[in-house]
Amino acid sequence: MAAEQEGATGGWFGESEHISRLPGKVFAAVCLSATLFGIVMVAGLLVYVTKDAIRPFTANPGWFLVFFLTLVLPSVAALGYYSRRGDGEATVALTALGIPFFGLLLGSGVLLLFIDVLSVVEWFAFVVAAVVAGGVIVGHRRLRAGASFVEEFVVGAASLVVLAPLTFEFVSTFPTVPQAWLIYLFTFGLSGAVVGGLIVARRRNDQRAGAIAAGALFAVVTAGVFIDPSTGITPQIWVILFTFAGMPTALYVEAVVRSRQRRPLGLLFPLIVVAGMLLGAVLVDLLGFAGPEAWLDFQFLTNANSRFPEEAGIYPALIGSVMMMVVVAVSSFPIGVGAALYLEEYAPNDGPLGVLVRFIEINISNLAGVPSVVYGLLGLALFVNWLNFASGIVVVGGMTVGLLILPIIIISAQEAIRAVPSSLRQASYGMGATRWQTIRRVVLPEALPGILTGSILAFGRAIGETAPLLMIGAAASVFQPPDGFFDIFSAMPRQIYAWVGQPAYEFQYGVMAAGVVTLITVMLSMNAAAILIRNKYQRRS
């Protein structure tokens, strides 16, 4: 090329005056090799652990053949057909399968919380308190439309901090409350139908269509409560699972069918998968093909720990991890995002305060690299020895792990806020908006995908931490899930660590592997949720 021969005036061209692309190609090959090496190592570890948890070689070869012919082959063929047709049908197929799957996981988690943690009376009191507090805030805005921000903040804080707890205590003293399924229907079912109606109304820009969609969704969730309970689907289970899995699936199907840019043929993929699973289950039962004797099965997910490996389960630790993550999210996310907003939008850059701010930022960056065991000692000293909380309870574990991921949330939120173009802020100021209005209307919506992505990935790290739980005295094993946030608990990584120390071979390689696969599944689900949220808000931006 002429460009390789001409203009050789510097060291870029060397003595031969020719451009050499060899160093770049070697560097790219080294980077690719390093990436593949990391992926292969992680994949190998996951395969090894999954093999111990599932024990596929204990199954009859006919079992594999049946499911290969009924499930794997049709599913792969369908995906290949969708990919060949293009137009995003493969994406539609995988999304249509993923939405109900993750909806069922989320709904199952909510069900577990209501079965073992929150009673119907407490949930009813919480809903009434939230409605009363929200009604006061909305009523104040309507009566005093020109109220200052300080007045709105005082009314909102008084409603949430004073009025809501008093209402909760009052309602909790009621001797009788409506039946559980009726409370769930008018809290989960009605709320989900209203949200679905608002989504349809905004999507079509048609209020009437939104009202029809909300009415249809509420009619379906109401009709489902009359399913015969002998099928195993009680009204409570139906309402919650349909709200979290059925409604999002229905909204996605409606969007795909109405979209002119997508082909609805991909929506058949979940039916192919479900039909293949059911047909395979029926055939192996008729033919007498035994499946794998897996450690990871329904009994493992629903049983408590036991001294017999065949009866050991992870259910109390699973509930403990879910409750701990609630405390982690509540204690770290608002503080982390608030600190990032102050440091990026309000903190001075010069003067003595500017020096102090830079000192704080440097220390936050250093705190992100402090070993987790140090945070465990900090939580032990701060929450147990100083604030006199009992050791090993959910609140202490959650706040300790929240301290661990707080620097990560602050740094990721700072990066997301810093990435918002300054031109958007200047345009907002040029329109006469205040700094608060600019942050609320411009900066936060633009930075939200990055903030949520970084935060949820930090939560994924938090759920797998073990050292802080050891320091604050979390139990190695509990046989009942915690009834509240001030009860003794055990988390999944703490339970796995306890199984590794058991002398029996089955605990060290079978039960432990099943626990690791369960923990990784939860972490991957959180990461997948982070990706979906990021993509959704990026498209909206």
Side-chain angles (χ1 to χ4, degrees), residues 167-520:
T167 307
F168 180 87
E169 293 295 332
F170 175 70
V171 176
S172 299
T173 60
F174 285 3
T176 59
V177 295
Q179 294 186 8
W181 70 268
L182 199 58
I183 294 176
Y184 294 157
L185 178 63
F186 282 97
T187 54
F188 288 106
L190 183 58
S191 301
V194 171
V195 172
L198 292 175
I199 292 174
V200 172
R202 187 180 61 182
R203 187 184 293 162
R204 300 189 189 180
N205 197 20
D206 187 349
Q207 299 295 331
R208 184 171 178 271
I212 294 175
L217 290 173
F218 188 67
V220 173
V221 72
T222 304
V225 300
F226 298 103
I227 297 176
D228 187 1
S230 63
T231 59
I233 304 176
T234 62
Q236 295 93 322
I237 294 177
W238 164 258
V239 170
I240 292 179
L241 292 187
F242 183 78
T243 301
F244 285 93
M247 290 186 182
T249 304
L251 292 174
Y252 181 74
V253 170
E254 189 266 350
V256 172
V257 170
R258 287 187 59 83
S259 175
R260 296 179 180 178
Q261 299 176 349
R262 299 174 179 174
R263 294 184 179 181
L265 194 60
L267 297 175
L268 296 177
F269 185 67
L271 301 179
I272 295 174
V273 173
V274 173
M277 293 174 63
L278 294 177
L279 180 61
V282 172
L283 288 178
V284 296
D285 186 58
L286 290 176
L287 299 175
F289 294 145
E293 300 174 358
W295 291 102
L296 178 58
D297 54 8
F298 185 74
Q299 173 264 336
F300 176 79
L301 297 176
T302 55
N303 273 15
N305 189 27
S306 171
R307 60 192 178 95
F308 302 107
E310 295 80 8
E311 300 175 2
I314 201 171
Y315 180 69
L318 178 62
I319 297 297
S321 289
V322 173
M323 295 179 66
M324 184 190 73
M325 291 308 299
V326 172
V327 178
V328 170
V330 172
S331 62
S332 61
F333 183 75
I335 297 176
V337 176
L341 279 174
Y342 174 77
L343 292 173
E344 291 298 322
E345 299 293 332
Y346 291 100
N349 295 321
D350 50 12
L353 286 179
V355 175
L356 177 62
V357 168
R358 287 194 293 275
F359 177 76
I360 292 174
E361 288 183 330
I362 292 172
N363 280 279
I364 290 174
S365 301
N366 291 332
L367 287 173
V370 171
S372 57
V373 66
V374 178
Y375 281 98
L377 293 173
L378 175 64
L380 179 66
L382 181 62
F383 301 120
V384 177
N385 295 338
W386 188 42
L387 296 179
N388 289 325
F389 284 110
S391 62
I393 61 176
V394 179
V395 170
V396 172
M399 290 193 294
T400 302
V401 180
L403 285 176
L404 169 67
I405 66 170
L406 185 58
I408 303 174
I409 294 178
I410 294 175
I411 293 172
S412 61
Q414 277 186 279
E415 294 294 334
I417 295 170
R418 199 176 298 156
V420 177
S422 299
S423 58
L424 295 179
R425 296 181 177 85
Q426 299 304 324
S428 178
Y429 293 143
M431 295 292 291
T434 64
R435 175 176 294 187
W436 162 243
Q437 290 171 332
T438 301
I439 292 173
R440 181 184 174 189
R441 303 287 186 185
V442 178
V443 176
L444 274 180
E446 287 293 324
L448 196 58
I451 294 175
L452 291 177
T453 302
S455 301
I456 295 177
L457 293 178
F459 295 152
R461 177 190 172 184
I463 199 172
E465 285 291 342
T466 309
L469 303 181
L470 291 171
M471 292 298 104
I472 58 99
S477 298
V478 294
F479 298 94
Q480 291 290 335
D483 291 329
F485 292 99
F486 292 90
D487 284 357
I488 298 292
F489 83 112
S490 180
M492 285 190 287
R494 181 70 181 93
Q495 181 65 73
I496 292 170
Y497 182 77
W499 282 331
V500 173
Q502 293 287 331
Y505 175 85
E506 290 81 2
F507 274 113
Q508 295 180 2
Y509 293 94
V511 181
M512 181 275 293
V516 170
V517 172
T518 305
L519 179 60
I520 291 176

